[in-house]
Amino acid sequence: MALVFPSVSVSFPKVPGKWKNWRYVDFSNKERTFPRVATMCASTSSKSKKIVWIWTENKHVMTAAVERGWNTFIFPSHRQDLALEWSSIALIYPLFIEEGRLIDHDNQRVAAFAEISSPQQLEQFQISEELADKVVVNLLDWQVIPAENIVAAFQGTQKTVLAVSKTQSEAQVFLEALEHGLGGVVMKVEDFGAVLELKGYFDRRREVDSLLNLTKAKITHVQTTGMGDRVCVDICSLMRPGEGLLVGSFARGLFLVHSECLESDYISSRPFRVNAGPVHAYVAVPGGKTSYLSELKSGKEVIVVNQRGMQRTAIVGRVKVETRPLILVEAKVESENESYSILMQNAETVGLVSLLHGEEHQQTAIPVTSLRVGDEVLLLEQGGARHTGIEIEEFIVEK
């Protein structure tokens, strides 16, 4: 989160007859200040900060947004009374739409504003508003004008472009288009649930910046078992050597199962696939949660992790459940008595991610068919008690 609060005295637009009962607060002293330009940013990575402004007339939406650190609000020019009312109960920064621009309480332009319905309008707007630092674009039919077009039109300029979005999914498209996305979004909503969903989206993306603390585990037992229904997870991204999904029979210990990105004498590489394990197994998903492999389906999200513990979110494109022979693998962490286990398909293309030793070229996966007692693999230890995938404090025994 980044909040810019330069020192400045505050007064709202002079509207005769409307301000008599307003509780005026003088912020001119140095102990309390109010922003001339307040920019609340949600950071999705260390290199990218996204601005979020809110456009609503619903008090519950306003409250939810302010509680989550978003305090810049857009109002039609005739709703200064609503801006005044909300300013008396919360620290907000109101902007008003007026003649193709957004102005603040001092009648200073903060951003250019345009409603666009065609690519031609977008091109004309780009030229005519060269001097605007920020540009708010309200695409009347954004499916006709793809988000990629907006990003491409302003890429390489110094402009910060925000697109008006009516749902969290729309906002996500604008924030991720062409990898970098727009500079931010304006959420035009009357349902506070959309604000909660957007905050959840940023929270999930923030996880990408944090390294998981993967632990070295030593194989203690390998045993072929019978047949079972195993799950192949095909994601909408390509995985690299050393990457895979966190899977395990117990939520308290998830093994890093390698993708099928490596070349094999037996089958062509499939860098989008992880042969993850049986239907009962847990798999790590965004938000610090787990899901059963049997619950995954197209459109759901999973966490892809590499040997260093770096993680990213990926969308599930397809799930295949087929009956295959299984193998039981058990492991322990040094100095602990607790045992962790995973069942996997007994096949040469299925493997666990091995430890990283320096930067040199090395083996990234050990096939389950080659696993031996004493081999070392990577494991994520966490709380074992779960309710609908959420970690809880509760006594539990799994074996």
Side-chain angles (χ1 to χ4, degrees), residues 234 244 276 326 332:
D234 295 349
L326 301 177
K332 285 186 176 181

Side-chain angles (χ1 to χ4, degrees), residues 36 46 121 142 157 160 229 248 257 285 294 300 307 360 397:
R36 176 176 293 275
S46 59
Q121 277 187 292
W142 71 270
T157 71
T160 300
D229 294 333
V257 180
V285 297
S294 59
K300 287 210 168 186
Q307 286 173 298
E360 71 276 7
V397 175

Side-chain angles (χ1 to χ4, degrees), residues 145-347:
I145 311 172
E148 287 81 1
N149 290 23
I150 306 296
V151 176
F154 291 95
Q155 229 173 33
T157 71
Q158 298 302 312
K159 297 178 177 64
T160 300
V161 183
L162 295 83
V164 176
S165 307
K166 296 177 181 175
T167 65
Q168 179 270 325
S169 58
E170 279 188 19
Q172 182 173 342
V173 170
F174 289 123
L175 293 169
E176 297 180 356
L178 297 182
E179 294 189 17
H180 299 287
L182 298 177
V185 291
V186 175
M187 289 297 290
K188 186 179 182 181
V189 296
E190 300 301 325
D191 177 9
F192 73 89
V195 174
L196 305 184
E197 290 173 357
L198 185 63
K199 182 60 166 61
Y201 161 78
F202 281 119
D203 288 343
R204 292 193 300 273
R205 291 296 178 265
R206 195 173 293 113
E207 290 178 352
V208 175
D209 286 342
S210 61
L211 287 176
L212 291 175
N213 186 21
L214 299 180
T215 303
K216 177 178 71 176
K218 187 170 290 187
I219 302 299
T220 58
H221 182 68
V222 180
Q223 175 189 337
T224 56
T225 59
M227 305 292 287
D229 294 333
R230 72 95 176 94
V231 180
C232 274
V233 182
D234 295 349
I235 65 172
C236 300
S237 308
L238 296 178
M239 286 173 278
R240 296 174 287 274
E243 286 188 321
L245 301 181
L246 290 167
V247 183
S249 293
F250 312 137
R252 68 176 185 268
L254 301 180
F255 293 79
L256 186 51
V257 180
H258 203 277
S259 71
E260 294 187 7
C261 68
L262 302 178
E263 294 295 333
S264 168
D265 295 332
Y266 307 96
I267 195 170
S268 300
S269 67
R270 294 180 172 88
F272 54 83
R273 173 172 295 172
V274 176
N275 190 328
V279 289
H280 78 280
Y282 289 107
V283 60
V285 297
K289 301 178 183 178
T290 58
S291 175
Y292 294 118
L293 283 175
S294 59
E295 295 176 330
L296 294 183
K297 59 183 180 181
S298 297
K300 287 210 168 186
E301 293 182 325
V302 290
I303 295 295
V304 174
V305 182
N306 71 6
Q307 286 173 298
R308 300 180 184 278
M310 295 178 64
Q311 56 180 314
R312 58 188 173 97
T313 301
I315 299 172
V316 176
R318 173 178 54 242
V319 171
K320 295 203 316 175
V321 181
E322 298 163 313
T323 302
R324 294 291 187 268
L326 301 177
I327 186 169
L328 172 67
V329 177
E330 295 180 346
K332 285 186 176 181
V333 175
E334 192 173 344
S335 76
E336 293 184 12
N337 293 322
E338 200 163 25
S339 181
Y340 305 97
S341 74
I342 183 174
L343 283 133
M344 309 171 72
Q345 181 181 340
N346 191 358

Side-chain angles (χ1 to χ4, degrees), residues 35-106:
R36 176 176 293 275
V37 178
T39 304
M40 294 306 297
C41 301
S43 176
T44 57
S45 74
S46 59
K47 298 181 181 179
S48 174
K49 292 183 178 180
K50 306 295 186 180
I51 298 172
V52 176
W53 293 349
I54 308 296
W55 185 353
T56 186
E57 295 189 11
N58 185 296
K59 187 175 180 180
H60 297 296
V61 173
M62 180 273 291
T63 303
V66 170
E67 288 176 348
R68 280 148 189 85
W70 298 325
N71 69 342
T72 300
F73 292 84
I74 294 178
F75 300 90
S77 58
H78 66 276
R79 290 313 314 264
Q80 294 182 8
D81 57 332
L82 183 62
L84 178 62
E85 176 189 339
W86 288 359
S87 297
S88 67
I89 59 177
L91 181 60
I92 71 169
Y93 180 67
L95 299 176
F96 303 95
I97 303 172
E98 185 176 290
E99 298 179 354
R101 55 186 187 150
L102 291 175
I103 60 174
D104 62 12
H105 54 275
D106 289 329

Side-chain angles (χ1 to χ4, degrees), residues 118-137:
S118 70
Q120 292 75 21
Q121 277 187 292
L122 173 61
E123 184 177 349
Q124 293 169 3
F125 178 71
Q126 179 186 3
I127 295 172
S128 61
E129 295 292 345
E130 287 181 341
L131 299 179
D133 292 330
K134 293 184 176 64
V135 179
V136 174
V137 179

Side-chain angles (χ1 to χ4, degrees), residues 378-389:
L378 290 173
L379 181 86
L380 176 67
E381 292 184 293
Q382 56 185 8
R386 298 270 156 171
H387 177 68
T388 63

